Amino acid sequence: MKREPKNPIITADKVKPSQDFLKVDGIFNCGAAKLGEEYLLLCRVAESCAEKEEGFLCIPVYDESEDRLKKERIPVEELRREYDLSDSRMISSVNECGIKKIRYLTSISHLRLARSRDGISFEVEDHPALPLKGRYERWGMEDPRITYLEEEGRYCITYTAVSDLGAMPALLITKDFIEYERIGAIFPPENKDVVIFPRKIGGLYYAFHRPVPYEIGTPDIWVSSSPDLKHWGGHRHVSGVCTDSWENGRVGSGAPPIHTPEGWLHIYHGADHGSRYCLGTMLTDLENPGRVIARSTRPVLEPCEPYETEGFFGGVVFTCGCIVEGDKISVYYGAADDKIARAEMSLKELLTGLSWKEA
Ligand code: MAN
C-alpha cells in the first residue's frame, strides 16, 4: 500500500470537543463513503475530561436516564490499589474467577462526520453526527463502518455500542448523513467489527462479524445472513487467528467487502498477543461469501511510520472503510488510536501481486 504523503490526514487538534468539559484525545477508526461528489468519513472521536481534579480520576459516562454526559469520579487511591492501569485505553481488574474485566474506558467516543472534495483534505464538523442514546451507549459509540447498498440507494452504518453490559454491534441507516434511523442492536455482546456486504446474495443480506468466545475458542471472523438487516442467522465460521503469525491474537473485519470478478475482497485486521494491529486481505466466494478462497500470508499494512507506532495506543493500523474508484482503493485507517491516515493501492495488483495462502 502506498501511504498518503500528507499523512496523518486528520488529527485531534482539528476537532472541537463536543462539550465544554471535555477534551479530544483522538479521531480515528472511520467508515468511508461517497455522497455525490463529496467524500465522507464518519469518524470515531474519543474524549475525556479536560480538567484534572485533585485526588480523583474523572471519566465521562453517558447517563441515559438524564440524557447527558456525567463525570464518574474514581479516587486515585482506589485506582492504584484495585486496578491495572497499564493499558491507556482501559482500567481493568481481575475478578474472583481470575478473569480480566474492563471496569472503565479511559475515554468516551461518539461519531463525527468529516467532509472533503478530494478525499485527502477533510473538514471535521463541529458537532457529533448523532447523540449517544440509551442504556447500551453508556460508554459510547465506536468504530463505524459504512456500506452503500447499491441496489437501494441507502447507507447502512454498523458501529459498536459500548457499555458496562458489553460491546454490542448496532445499526443505523441513512440516505443523506443528516437524518439517521436507529435500528438498534443486531448481535448480542461481546461482538464487534460488523460489516455489511454492499449487495444481497441469493436474496439475503450478509455481514461479517467477530464474536468473542469466552471459555472455548478465539476471536475469529464469522459470517451471518439476514432477510431484513435486523434478524441475523445462518451463522458460520469464516477465518480464525493463526497461532504462529502476526495475527495470533485476534482477527476482525475491516472495510466493507469489495465485489471483484474473482470474489469478495476483504481488508481485515489482525493483532498479535502484544496488541500490534496490522491489515491483511482475504478473498471469499461470490455466491458463498463465508467460504475463504485465499488469504494473504503477510500483512498489507503494518504500523511502521511514527504516526502509527506512537500515539494514544501505539502500534495500531485499523481500518473501518475504503473507497473504490475504478482500479484505485483508498483505505482510510486509524493510526495509533488517535489520528486518521490514508493509503492507496491498485485493486488489480492486490489481487494478482500477493502471495495468497490457500485457505
Ligand atoms: C479494539 C478495536 C478498536 C481499536 C483497537 C486497537 O479492539 O475495537 O477500537 O482501534 O482495539 O486499540
Side-chain angles (χ1 to χ4, degrees):
M1 279 199 195
K2 212 169 82 222
R3 287 177 174 83
E4 163 58 44
K6 289 187 184 146
N7 273 350
I9 58 167
I10 313 182
T11 47
D13 56 314
K14 301 283 182 320
V15 187
K16 280 212 177 113
S18 64
Q19 300 198 25
D20 289 344
F21 76 100
L22 299 175
K23 67 174 171 59
V24 174
D25 292 334
I27 176 162
F28 49 118
N29 309 343
C30 56
K34 273 194 94 176
L35 180 65
E37 287 308 297
E38 203 172 29
Y39 293 82
L40 299 177
L41 297 181
L42 188 62
C43 315
R44 169 175 172 190
V45 169
E47 298 177 303
S48 60
C49 293
E51 305 268 309
K52 289 219 159 90
E53 231 182 276
E54 189 65 37
F56 291 93
L57 176 73
C58 295
I59 293 178
V61 176
Y62 173 65
D63 182 331
E64 76 282 359
S65 59
E66 294 183 23
D67 190 24
R68 67 181 180 96
L69 286 187
K70 277 186 172 172
K71 279 187 199 173
E72 184 124 0
R73 296 162 78 247
I74 314 152
V76 170
E77 274 308 301
E78 185 186 320
L79 273 181
R80 293 216 186 95
R81 211 176 41 237
E82 294 178 20
Y83 298 108
D84 176 0
L85 308 175
S86 60
D87 188 318
S88 58
R89 303 167 297 178
M90 60 189 75
I91 293 166
S92 60
S93 65
V94 174
N95 73 6
E96 44 298 335
C97 306
I99 291 152
K100 181 184 146 187
K101 300 293 281 185
I102 299 173
R103 304 294 176 177
Y104 304 96
L105 294 181
T106 52
S107 59
I108 189 162
S109 296
H110 66 262
L111 312 187
R112 190 87 67 98
L113 205 59
R115 297 174 182 272
S116 165
R117 285 272 149 206
D118 63 3
I120 297 168
S121 306
F122 282 87
E123 283 286 321
V124 183
E125 291 191 343
D126 286 346
H127 302 286
L130 70 169
L132 301 180
K133 208 172 163 63
R135 172 72 180 91
Y136 305 132
E137 292 178 9
R138 272 190 192 174
W139 293 5
M141 298 167 87
E142 300 183 355
D143 302 351
R145 292 172 168 88
I146 307 170
T147 298
Y148 181 58
L149 294 176
E150 298 154 4
E151 293 136 354
E152 302 170 31
R154 53 182 187 153
Y155 299 84
C156 296
I157 302 165
T158 51
Y159 66 97
T160 311
V162 196
S163 74
D164 50 317
L165 296 174
M168 182 173 72
L171 176 67
L172 300 166
I173 293 193
T174 188
K175 281 192 168 169
D176 52 14
F177 291 88
I178 298 168
E179 281 177 35
Y180 298 87
E181 185 193 348
R182 281 182 178 269
I183 305 297
I186 52 172
F187 292 96
E190 185 179 339
N191 199 319
K192 279 185 173 183
D193 306 320
V194 173
V195 70
I196 292 173
F197 283 66
R199 48 175 94 159
K200 284 184 175 174
I201 303 157
L204 294 172
Y205 295 101
Y206 276 82
F208 284 139
H209 59 105
R210 206 280 307 282
V212 183
Y214 171 58
E215 286 191 319
I216 304 173
T218 46
D220 296 347
I221 298 174
W222 288 65
V223 74
S224 300
S225 56
S226 168
D228 57 6
L229 295 169
K230 293 176 187 160
H231 305 91
W232 293 86
H235 311 303
R236 193 176 148 186
H237 184 263
V238 176
S239 184
V241 301
C242 296
T243 40
D244 56 348
S245 74
W246 55 278
E247 45 185 350
N248 61 13
R250 50 186 59 225
V251 289
S253 276
I258 302 163
H259 188 274
T260 77
E262 281 80 12
W264 290 103
L265 179 65
H266 179 216
I267 304 171
Y268 69 96
H269 68 260
D272 64 14
H273 289 308
S275 288
R276 181 176 183 268
Y277 281 73
C278 301
L279 301 184
T281 48
M282 67 173 76
L283 196 68
T284 69
D285 190 294
L286 284 179
E287 299 308 320
N288 180 4
R291 190 178 77 80
V292 179
I293 300 168
R295 188 167 158 179
S296 57
T297 47
R298 284 178 294 120
V300 287
L301 193 75
E302 297 186 58
C304 300
E305 297 294 326
Y307 56 85
E308 297 163 347
T309 56
E310 289 152 37
F312 183 76
F313 189 76
V316 174
V317 293
F318 189 97
T319 189
C320 291
C322 65
I323 291 180
V324 184
E325 291 164 300
D327 183 52
K328 184 177 86 179
I329 312 179
S330 304
V331 178
Y332 295 92
Y333 62 97
D337 276 1
D338 61 1
K339 36 192 132 43
I340 292 175
R342 176 184 175 275
E344 66 176 57
M345 57 208 229
S346 147
L347 192 54
K348 229 182 279 150
E349 272 174 38
L350 185 63
L351 285 168
T352 53
L354 279 176
S355 48
W356 291 99
K357 169 168 74 185
E358 291 304 319

